[in-house]
Amino acid sequence: MPFRGDCRLEEATYGMVTVGERGQIVIPAEARRELGIEPGDKLIIMRHPMYAGFIAFKMQSVREFLEMFQREVERLESQFGQSGGDGE
């Protein structure tokens, strides 16, 4: 199943892993395959804001998202001006 941003919780779950003595985990093969995670890739690990857990993102995916977000901000600024479009 190719990666989609709009999936149900059970589709977003890859299973369970066990933390080894050195704190290491193995990312399930299906997750690596679907998300394009390869040996040597850098991942950002963030504490979940509400629950005892973490979220991992490919560094390249974060960069791509930030670049897309920046382009959208620039588009909105050119469309609505610096005031934010709320009549300020």
Side-chain angles (χ1 to χ4, degrees):
M1 167 176 56
F3 174 72
R4 297 188 343 249
D6 62 338
C7 63
R8 296 186 320 256
L9 186 57
E10 61 268 18
E11 293 174 332
T13 302
Y14 292 104
M16 294 179 66
V17 298
T18 300
V19 178
E21 289 183 26
R22 295 177 44 203
Q24 296 173 317
I25 62 170
V26 174
I27 301 169
E30 181 183 9
R32 294 192 315 268
R33 194 170 40 254
E34 284 187 17
L35 301 173
I37 298 172
E38 299 189 9
D41 283 348
K42 300 290 184 193
L43 302 179
I44 295 176
I45 307 294
M46 297 176 63
R47 179 175 49 90
H48 192 283
M50 296 172 52
Y51 303 104
F54 65 86
I55 305 165
F57 299 95
K58 282 180 65 172
M59 178 65 104
Q60 185 58 37
S61 295
V62 172
R63 282 192 176 110
E64 290 168 5
F65 168 77
L66 291 174
E67 289 169 4
M68 179 187 67
F69 193 82
Q70 179 64 35
R71 285 191 304 272
E72 181 62 10
V73 167
E74 290 167 0
R75 184 190 71 77
L76 291 170
E77 286 177 341
S78 68
Q79 183 175 350
F80 297 107
Q82 296 291 327
S83 70
D86 57 5
E88 290 180 5

mmCIF file of all heavy atoms in Angstrom, residues 2-3 5 12 14 17 22 24 30 40-41 45 48 53 68-69 76-77 79-80 82 85:
data_model
loop_
_atom_site.group_PDB
_atom_site.id
_atom_site.type_symbol
_atom_site.label_atom_id
_atom_site.label_comp_id
_atom_site.label_asym_id
_atom_site.label_seq_id
_atom_site.Cartn_x
_atom_site.Cartn_y
_atom_site.Cartn_z
ATOM 1 N N PRO A 2 0.777 2.116 -1.010
ATOM 2 C CA PRO A 2 1.594 3.328 -1.028
ATOM 3 C C PRO A 2 1.185 4.281 0.077
ATOM 4 O O PRO A 2 0.064 4.260 0.560
ATOM 5 C CB PRO A 2 1.315 3.921 -2.415
ATOM 6 C CG PRO A 2 0.037 3.326 -2.858
ATOM 7 C CD PRO A 2 -0.098 2.002 -2.162
ATOM 8 N N PHE A 3 2.141 5.147 0.471
ATOM 9 C CA PHE A 3 1.880 6.107 1.545
ATOM 10 C C PHE A 3 0.794 7.084 1.139
ATOM 11 O O PHE A 3 0.800 7.606 0.043
ATOM 12 C CB PHE A 3 3.156 6.867 1.901
ATOM 13 C CG PHE A 3 2.912 7.957 2.899
ATOM 14 C CD1 PHE A 3 2.633 7.647 4.213
ATOM 15 C CD2 PHE A 3 2.916 9.274 2.522
ATOM 16 C CE1 PHE A 3 2.396 8.642 5.137
ATOM 17 C CE2 PHE A 3 2.676 10.285 3.435
ATOM 18 C CZ PHE A 3 2.413 9.951 4.738
ATOM 19 N N GLY A 5 -1.510 10.376 3.064
ATOM 20 C CA GLY A 5 -1.628 11.215 4.247
ATOM 21 C C GLY A 5 -2.970 11.105 4.930
ATOM 22 O O GLY A 5 -3.147 11.557 6.050
ATOM 23 N N ALA A 12 -2.342 3.250 9.840
ATOM 24 C CA ALA A 12 -1.126 3.982 10.180
ATOM 25 C C ALA A 12 -0.276 3.231 11.194
ATOM 26 O O ALA A 12 0.799 3.685 11.549
ATOM 27 C CB ALA A 12 -1.488 5.361 10.749
ATOM 28 N N TYR A 14 2.021 0.074 12.303
ATOM 29 C CA TYR A 14 2.868 -0.952 11.689
ATOM 30 C C TYR A 14 3.150 -2.123 12.621
ATOM 31 O O TYR A 14 3.847 -3.039 12.238
ATOM 32 C CB TYR A 14 4.190 -0.335 11.242
ATOM 33 C CG TYR A 14 4.020 0.627 10.096
ATOM 34 C CD1 TYR A 14 4.083 1.992 10.304
ATOM 35 C CD2 TYR A 14 3.788 0.169 8.808
ATOM 36 C CE1 TYR A 14 3.934 2.870 9.251
ATOM 37 C CE2 TYR A 14 3.625 1.039 7.749
ATOM 38 C CZ TYR A 14 3.700 2.392 7.978
ATOM 39 O OH TYR A 14 3.545 3.262 6.934
ATOM 40 N N VAL A 17 7.286 -2.910 18.476
ATOM 41 C CA VAL A 17 8.716 -3.213 18.497
ATOM 42 C C VAL A 17 9.152 -3.299 19.953
ATOM 43 O O VAL A 17 8.472 -2.804 20.845
ATOM 44 C CB VAL A 17 9.546 -2.147 17.747
ATOM 45 C CG1 VAL A 17 9.148 -2.096 16.286
ATOM 46 C CG2 VAL A 17 9.409 -0.781 18.382
ATOM 47 N N ARG A 22 20.396 -1.471 24.475
ATOM 48 C CA ARG A 22 21.077 -0.215 24.146
ATOM 49 C C ARG A 22 20.087 0.867 23.713
ATOM 50 O O ARG A 22 20.491 1.915 23.212
ATOM 51 C CB ARG A 22 22.105 -0.459 23.044
ATOM 52 C CG ARG A 22 23.232 -1.377 23.527
ATOM 53 C CD ARG A 22 24.244 -1.719 22.457
ATOM 54 N NE ARG A 22 24.628 -0.561 21.666
ATOM 55 C CZ ARG A 22 25.126 -0.635 20.450
ATOM 56 N NH1 ARG A 22 25.300 -1.800 19.863
ATOM 57 N NH2 ARG A 22 25.452 0.466 19.791
ATOM 58 N N GLN A 24 17.811 0.625 21.351
ATOM 59 C CA GLN A 24 17.532 0.572 19.927
ATOM 60 C C GLN A 24 16.214 -0.131 19.643
ATOM 61 O O GLN A 24 15.800 -1.023 20.390
ATOM 62 C CB GLN A 24 18.652 -0.158 19.191
ATOM 63 C CG GLN A 24 19.981 0.557 19.278
ATOM 64 C CD GLN A 24 21.101 -0.271 18.687
ATOM 65 O OE1 GLN A 24 21.179 -1.469 18.915
ATOM 66 N NE2 GLN A 24 21.965 0.380 17.936
ATOM 67 N N GLU A 30 7.775 -3.112 6.631
ATOM 68 C CA GLU A 30 6.662 -2.498 5.900
ATOM 69 C C GLU A 30 6.696 -0.973 6.034
ATOM 70 O O GLU A 30 6.491 -0.245 5.063
ATOM 71 C CB GLU A 30 5.323 -3.031 6.418
ATOM 72 C CG GLU A 30 4.129 -2.452 5.695
ATOM 73 C CD GLU A 30 2.799 -2.924 6.263
ATOM 74 O OE1 GLU A 30 2.780 -3.568 7.335
ATOM 75 O OE2 GLU A 30 1.776 -2.636 5.632
ATOM 76 N N GLY A 40 21.055 4.858 6.604
ATOM 77 C CA GLY A 40 21.744 6.134 6.504
ATOM 78 C C GLY A 40 20.818 7.340 6.549
ATOM 79 O O GLY A 40 21.282 8.465 6.716
ATOM 80 N N ASP A 41 19.499 7.136 6.361
ATOM 81 C CA ASP A 41 18.557 8.253 6.447
ATOM 82 C C ASP A 41 18.575 8.833 7.857
ATOM 83 O O ASP A 41 18.719 8.098 8.840
ATOM 84 C CB ASP A 41 17.122 7.807 6.122
ATOM 85 C CG ASP A 41 16.881 7.611 4.640
ATOM 86 O OD1 ASP A 41 17.731 8.023 3.828
ATOM 87 O OD2 ASP A 41 15.826 7.036 4.303
ATOM 88 N N ILE A 45 13.357 12.706 15.900
ATOM 89 C CA ILE A 45 12.536 12.066 16.926
ATOM 90 C C ILE A 45 12.001 13.172 17.828
ATOM 91 O O ILE A 45 12.780 13.927 18.405
ATOM 92 C CB ILE A 45 13.358 11.061 17.772
ATOM 93 C CG1 ILE A 45 14.082 10.044 16.871
ATOM 94 C CG2 ILE A 45 12.471 10.380 18.808
ATOM 95 C CD1 ILE A 45 13.170 9.118 16.118
ATOM 96 N N HIS A 48 5.894 13.211 21.771
ATOM 97 C CA HIS A 48 4.503 13.506 21.444
ATOM 98 C C HIS A 48 4.010 14.581 22.400
ATOM 99 O O HIS A 48 4.300 14.532 23.598
ATOM 100 C CB HIS A 48 3.631 12.247 21.568
ATOM 101 C CG HIS A 48 2.284 12.412 20.984
ATOM 102 N ND1 HIS A 48 1.288 13.100 21.620
ATOM 103 C CD2 HIS A 48 1.779 12.002 19.808
ATOM 104 C CE1 HIS A 48 0.199 13.097 20.873
ATOM 105 N NE2 HIS A 48 0.466 12.440 19.761
ATOM 106 N N GLY A 53 5.129 9.133 24.480
ATOM 107 C CA GLY A 53 5.580 8.463 23.269
ATOM 108 C C GLY A 53 6.349 9.431 22.402
ATOM 109 O O GLY A 53 6.612 10.562 22.794
ATOM 110 N N MET A 68 7.538 23.567 1.227
ATOM 111 C CA MET A 68 6.176 23.715 0.709
ATOM 112 C C MET A 68 5.417 24.752 1.539
ATOM 113 O O MET A 68 4.719 25.615 0.991
ATOM 114 C CB MET A 68 5.443 22.370 0.762
ATOM 115 C CG MET A 68 4.016 22.423 0.280
ATOM 116 S SD MET A 68 3.141 20.864 0.551
ATOM 117 C CE MET A 68 3.080 20.822 2.325
ATOM 118 N N PHE A 69 5.576 24.698 2.853
ATOM 119 C CA PHE A 69 4.901 25.636 3.742
ATOM 120 C C PHE A 69 5.372 27.063 3.461
ATOM 121 O O PHE A 69 4.565 27.990 3.391
ATOM 122 C CB PHE A 69 5.167 25.245 5.201
ATOM 123 C CG PHE A 69 4.289 25.949 6.181
ATOM 124 C CD1 PHE A 69 3.013 25.493 6.437
ATOM 125 C CD2 PHE A 69 4.736 27.074 6.853
ATOM 126 C CE1 PHE A 69 2.190 26.148 7.348
ATOM 127 C CE2 PHE A 69 3.932 27.735 7.758
ATOM 128 C CZ PHE A 69 2.651 27.267 8.010
ATOM 129 N N LEU A 76 0.421 33.359 -0.080
ATOM 130 C CA LEU A 76 -0.622 34.061 0.667
ATOM 131 C C LEU A 76 -0.258 35.517 0.890
ATOM 132 O O LEU A 76 -1.115 36.397 0.792
ATOM 133 C CB LEU A 76 -0.899 33.357 1.998
ATOM 134 C CG LEU A 76 -1.577 31.992 1.879
ATOM 135 C CD1 LEU A 76 -1.570 31.287 3.225
ATOM 136 C CD2 LEU A 76 -2.977 32.134 1.338
ATOM 137 N N GLU A 77 1.012 35.775 1.193
ATOM 138 C CA GLU A 77 1.451 37.159 1.378
ATOM 139 C C GLU A 77 1.283 37.967 0.097
ATOM 140 O O GLU A 77 0.843 39.111 0.133
ATOM 141 C CB GLU A 77 2.907 37.205 1.838
ATOM 142 C CG GLU A 77 3.091 36.810 3.276
ATOM 143 C CD GLU A 77 4.553 36.787 3.704
ATOM 144 O OE1 GLU A 77 5.455 36.731 2.837
ATOM 145 O OE2 GLU A 77 4.775 36.827 4.931
ATOM 146 N N GLN A 79 -0.845 37.331 -2.271
ATOM 147 C CA GLN A 79 -2.275 37.416 -2.579
ATOM 148 C C GLN A 79 -3.001 38.387 -1.652
ATOM 149 O O GLN A 79 -3.838 39.170 -2.086
ATOM 150 C CB GLN A 79 -2.921 36.035 -2.488
ATOM 151 C CG GLN A 79 -4.388 36.021 -2.859
ATOM 152 C CD GLN A 79 -4.966 34.609 -2.862
ATOM 153 O OE1 GLN A 79 -4.243 33.628 -2.759
ATOM 154 N NE2 GLN A 79 -6.262 34.526 -2.980
ATOM 155 N N PHE A 80 -2.674 38.350 -0.366
ATOM 156 C CA PHE A 80 -3.414 39.128 0.612
ATOM 157 C C PHE A 80 -2.603 40.268 1.231
ATOM 158 O O PHE A 80 -3.121 41.037 2.028
ATOM 159 C CB PHE A 80 -3.925 38.234 1.755
ATOM 160 C CG PHE A 80 -4.890 37.197 1.287
ATOM 161 C CD1 PHE A 80 -4.530 35.865 1.199
ATOM 162 C CD2 PHE A 80 -6.194 37.559 0.911
ATOM 163 C CE1 PHE A 80 -5.420 34.910 0.762
ATOM 164 C CE2 PHE A 80 -7.095 36.597 0.479
ATOM 165 C CZ PHE A 80 -6.704 35.281 0.403
ATOM 166 N N GLN A 82 0.845 41.711 3.486
ATOM 167 C CA GLN A 82 1.476 41.370 4.772
ATOM 168 C C GLN A 82 0.505 41.410 5.946
ATOM 169 O O GLN A 82 0.783 40.902 7.000
ATOM 170 C CB GLN A 82 2.635 42.331 5.044
ATOM 171 C CG GLN A 82 3.758 42.226 4.049
ATOM 172 C CD GLN A 82 4.524 40.931 4.168
ATOM 173 O OE1 GLN A 82 4.682 40.387 5.243
ATOM 174 N NE2 GLN A 82 5.011 40.427 3.046
ATOM 175 N N GLY A 85 -4.698 39.530 5.572
ATOM 176 C CA GLY A 85 -6.010 39.452 4.935
ATOM 177 C C GLY A 85 -7.188 39.641 5.868
ATOM 178 O O GLY A 85 -8.322 39.386 5.509
#
